[in-house]
Amino acid sequence: MVDFAALRQKMVDEQLKARDIRDMRVLQAMNHVPRHEFVPPELQHLAYQDKPLPIGENQTISQPYIVALMTQMLQLEGHERVLEIGTGCGYQTAVLCELAAYVYSLERFALLADRASTTLARLGYDNLDIHVGDGSQGLPDMEPFDAIIVTAAAPSIPGPLVSQLSPNQGRLVVPVGDSKGQHIYIVQRIGDKNKVKRTIPVRFVPLIGRFGFRDDGNPPPATV
Ligand code: SAM
């Protein structure tokens, strides 16, 4: 029998604490959420390794370190309303549910959204709402959000997501670049000003949508 709790503790110690994950609440959440419950049964033994894994529909569950790092960038304290774009298998959603008051999550594949909802309900998470749709346009009916995280790569910072941030220090964390690679950007909204910071290089699957890439992987035509 695999001791998943021991593997999870090892992941936190060797992949997160040993790097630059310092937010104690993020470390606790990563030590609590059973990542192996979110991957296909035949891959469960790999769930705590330092890498992404396939979850169906040609999509992936992100590497644990990147989940922890992007979550840390959101600087959550517990009272926030968070929007996640790219539910995937729901693992990042669970981490957010541990750290914020309420999580809205958008996924373009209904199959993944349904599966994630089932897993999250089975594990007892109830402070979330999963929607199927184009997350590059955000969720205007539910704005403003204290924090927005995008777990797929956009060709540029999606404008609708910036405008759905709370003017009171809302934070957006989003990978931006092309199919060869991207950087994680942090956008902080302070009143009607935005502070933009480019951070580490990453490689994500594309955000497909109106303010993302087209279905063929190309960016949308430039508008004038
Ligand atoms: N956070 C996820 C997890 O923990 O499993 C990993 C997400 S995976 C790297 C990226 C996800 O973004 C995929 O499930 C993909 O279908 C989704 N996606 C891509 N474009 C999207 C869009 N415009 N709206 C919503 N979801 C999108």
Side-chain angles (χ1 to χ4, degrees):
M1 196 112 151
V2 184
D3 185 350
F4 287 117
L7 291 178
R8 195 157 55 244
Q9 179 70 61
K10 196 165 179 295
M11 170 194 85
V12 169
D13 291 342
E14 294 178 6
Q15 299 171 38
L16 310 184
K17 280 187 187 163
R19 292 181 176 140
D20 52 355
I21 306 304
R22 298 280 171 268
D23 184 328
M24 286 309 295
R25 295 182 71 244
V26 172
L27 290 168
Q28 274 161 12
M30 298 287 296
N31 209 352
H32 189 236
V33 178
R35 186 177 160 90
H36 62 280
E37 300 277 2
F38 292 86
V39 302
E42 66 279 13
L43 299 179
Q44 284 197 338
H45 63 293
L46 304 176
Y48 297 99
Q49 293 193 0
D50 189 18
K51 57 183 183 192
L53 292 170
I55 55 169
E57 300 286 16
N58 245 336
Q59 304 301 318
T60 53
I61 177 174
S62 305
Q63 177 194 4
Y65 170 67
I66 294 296
V67 172
L69 183 70
M70 290 176 78
T71 307
Q72 179 168 268
M73 287 170 174
L74 293 175
Q75 299 184 311
L76 300 172
E77 292 178 349
H79 53 83
E80 296 85 357
R81 293 170 78 249
V82 178
L83 175 64
E84 176 194 33
I85 310 301
T87 317
C89 65
Y91 173 68
Q92 170 82 72
T93 322
V95 173
L96 294 170
C97 285
E98 297 266 342
L99 295 169
Y102 204 84
V103 180
Y104 297 89
S105 187
L106 264 158
E107 170 56 51
R108 67 186 277 264
F109 288 111
L111 176 82
L112 295 181
D114 286 351
R115 215 185 267 158
S117 295
T118 305
T119 308
L120 288 158
R122 180 165 49 81
L123 295 174
Y125 292 100
D126 59 4
N127 56 334
L128 72 138
D129 199 1
I130 295 181
H131 296 247
V132 176
D134 175 12
S136 75
Q137 305 184 54
L139 200 56
D141 290 351
M142 296 297 166
E143 65 163 313
F145 299 99
D146 302 298
I148 301 179
I149 179 169
V150 185
T151 63
S156 58
I157 296 171
L161 299 187
V162 178
S163 60
Q164 289 171 34
L165 283 176
S166 162
N168 184 22
Q169 311 242 344
R171 282 94 59 199
L172 165 65
V173 172
V174 54
V176 175
D178 58 27
S179 57
K180 291 188 217 87
Q182 311 96 31
H183 284 81
I184 299 178
Y185 281 70
I186 306 174
V187 182
Q188 187 166 21
R189 189 157 161 206
I190 305 160
D192 53 8
K193 298 238 177 346
N194 300 315
K195 204 167 100 187
V196 180
K197 186 174 165 197
R198 187 173 105 137
T199 70
I200 64 157
V202 284
R203 193 135 190 197
F204 271 86
V205 295
L207 180 77
I208 306 288
R210 183 157 168 222
F211 295 88
F213 290 93
R214 296 191 315 223
D215 235 342
D216 61 9
N218 289 318
T223 46
V224 283

